[in-house]
Structure formats: structure tokens, C-alpha cells
DNA sequence: TTCCTTATTGATAATAATTCCTAATTAATA
DNA sequence: TATTAATTAGGAATTATTATCAATAAGGAA
């Protein structure tokens, strides 16, 4: 679990400016358990900080992604973001769109094995399972 | 490794028609080791069968996806397709865009564990590692 | 603090992947 | 072969994302 100060330090260190817009986006991403889209981040943040534009949200997410401070994932053609950057599995509900995280230590081993077999230099990982969450599952068993 | 006949049978069984367009797309996906985009599938297929439109490619891929005859994955905002539906890890080269598959038996276990922990009903899985392939890797070590 | 430089922002235009629309076509069945 | 409902072609529409660029403001220097 990373903290605001770490992220701010990491950006400042490389000469990036700490703006209220960036703070707001990072703050929201750290506090939420969701995996929001750029659009949703924009919508939520505007309630508190009306002076944040959608293009700034996109640019900030791109920066955070590059610095590996957030992960990006794709759900049905839409990018979703997550500041929880430890190795984990994303569970995507195909009905309600919710995303849950599941910690799983063995992912690291798999990554190492795959790197060895393939001779790739691995920089990013994404483990995703899709289906129906416990709530939605019941609707399909009626 | 699935065969053409299986796919054709599986579609016909559910009342879907076997059209030359669908055959061409399935045929190409079964023969290639690549993980082509809709655009590329269209381009390649038109050489042999000029009467296939891009929207048909999209619709056919959607159908094949629904019937779980191909998997879809996302590479930098572009959908890529793969008729190799066994459990495996996709290795995506962030430099040349190549995608390799690595078989890994332990994925099934992980899937079962995650389903148990989360109470999700798992329908689809996607294990993806990104980095540099062995060819591109060397360019970054000069 | 005040000024300066330049990264960052906001508004909108541009782009590109995908989906939608619908008349024309055709695979499958009798 | 005739029938008909599924499928297709092609272009328009949609939509998430990126690009553009003048205006603004963060951070360093004086």
C-alpha cells in the first residue's frame, strides 16, 4: 500500500510539479477500492475540485502510469486505473462491472517461471479473471 | 488445439450459419501463431477473400468470443484475438508488439483458489505479462 | 516576497477503434 | 428450387483517448 507522500516525493524528485489537480487524482485513487475509469475519476473529483478538466485527468493518469504509480487495465474497451500496485489478481464482474482484488503470492513464481521459459524481460503483469461476482451470480441461478 | 471442424460443428449446432466469411476468419485464426487485431485479420483475409467487410470481421469475432472459440486481449487499447483457448500466459513485447504464449499448468490452480476466495463464478481468464522479448531486450542493454 | 521560466492546464479539435444502421444477399431447410 | 430469416457490406455514427496551443501557475532565484 503506497502513501501520498511517497508518490509526491517520487514525482517531485524527477522534477514534476505538484499541482492541486495531481494531488486530487492521486488522493482519490489511493482512497478508493474501486478501479475507476478516467471519466469516473473526473466526475468524482469535480465535486471537490471543480477546476479539474478531463484532459488533465488523462494526462495525469498517463504520467502516473509511466512512473508505475498506478496500473491500467482494460474492461470492455475502457481503461480502468488502480493505485494498488502490488501483485494481485483482478476479478471483473461481467454483469455489474465491479472489480475486486485477490492477493495471491504464487503470481510472483509464475512470473519468474514464464520469464525464464520465454527469455522475456518482464516489466508489467496483469492477471485478470472475469465472471460474475457473488451478488450477480445469484441472478443467473434463478 | 481446436480444429476447424469442431468450431464449425459448434456454430452449426446452435443454428448459426456457416458463411465463407466466418470460415475465412476462423481458418486464419487457427493457422496463425500471431494474435492479430480485427484490422489485421481483415487485411489478411481480403487477399484471399476480397468480399469480407470490416464490420463482418468485428461481428464474427464477437460471435466467436461469445461461443468461447477465441479469446480477446487488449494491447494498448487495441483488441487482439487468439483461437488458442487453453489456459496460458500471454507475453507481450512492449517494443515490437509481438505476443508469445507460455503454457503454465499452475494457472488452473490459481483460478480455482481465486474463485474460492472471492466467491466469483469465473468464466474467462487472462494472464498477461509485458516487457521486452529476447530480441528487443538486447537493444536496451547496449 | 516578487519575478521568471517553463511545465502544466483547460477547452476544444482531431483521431481511431468499434458499433450501428439497413437494404441487399445468401445459407439452410423443405 | 423457392422461401425466409440470418447475415453481410459499406458507410455513418459513436465514443474513448490524444493532440493542440494559448493561458495559467508551480517552483526556483534574486
Amino acid at each position: 500500500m503506497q502513501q501520498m507522500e511517497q508518490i509526491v516525493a517520487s514525482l517531485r524528485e524527477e522534477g514534476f510539479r505538484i499541482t492541486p489537480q495531481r494531488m486530487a487524482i492521486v488522493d482519490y485513487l489511493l482512497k478508493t477500492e474501486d478501479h475507476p475509469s478516467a471519466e469516473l475519476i473526473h466526475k468524482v473529483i469535480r465535486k471537490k475540485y471543480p477546476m479539474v478538466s478531463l484532459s488533465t485527468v488523462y494526462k495525469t493518469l498517463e504520467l502516473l502510469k509511466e512512473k508505475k504509480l498506478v496500473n491500467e487495465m482494460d474492461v470492455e474497451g475502457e481503461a480502468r486505473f488502480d493505485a494498488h500496485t502490488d501483485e494481485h489478481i483482478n476479478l471483473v464482474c461481467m454483469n455489474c462491472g465491479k472489480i475486486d482484488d485477490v492477493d495471491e503470492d504464487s503470481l510472483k513464481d509464475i512470473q519468474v517461471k514464464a520469464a525464464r521459459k520465454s527469455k522475456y524481460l518482464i516489466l508489467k503483469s496483469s492477471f485478470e479473471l472475469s465472471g460474475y461476482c457473488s451478488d450477480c451470480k445469484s441472478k443467473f441461478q434463478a
Side-chain angles (χ1 to χ4, degrees), chain A residues 43-120:
Chain A
K43 214 177 276 176
V44 170
I45 282 178
R46 289 196 84 142
K47 288 182 195 159
K48 250 187 165 174
Y49 310 90
M51 73 303 185
V52 180
S53 76
L54 184 57
S55 53
T56 296
V57 172
Y58 273 106
K59 265 175 291 188
T60 301
L61 289 171
E62 166 119 12
L63 174 66
L64 294 171
K65 238 166 64 192
E66 261 171 30
K67 298 302 150 204
K68 301 204 183 307
L69 301 171
V70 307
N71 287 329
E72 181 185 5
M73 53 189 297
D74 175 90
V75 179
E76 289 169 25
E78 193 185 52
R80 305 275 214 101
F81 300 88
D82 183 8
H84 175 222
T85 53
D86 306 330
E87 223 67 76
H88 65 269
I89 301 172
N90 288 306
L91 286 138
V92 184
C93 179
M94 295 165 84
N95 185 240
C96 67
K98 184 173 68 166
I99 301 177
D100 286 313
D101 294 344
V102 171
D103 292 328
E104 180 53 57
D105 295 335
S106 40
L107 292 179
K108 203 79 208 171
D109 297 341
I110 286 189
Q111 200 163 318
V112 171
K113 274 200 252 175
R116 204 171 290 151
K117 279 192 201 172
S118 67
K119 311 247 186 287
Y120 267 63

Side-chain angles (χ1 to χ4, degrees), chain A residues 26-37:
Chain A
V26 168
D27 180 60
Y28 172 50
L29 282 174
L30 284 176
K31 281 184 180 146
T32 186
E33 286 280 291
D34 293 345
H35 297 63
S37 63

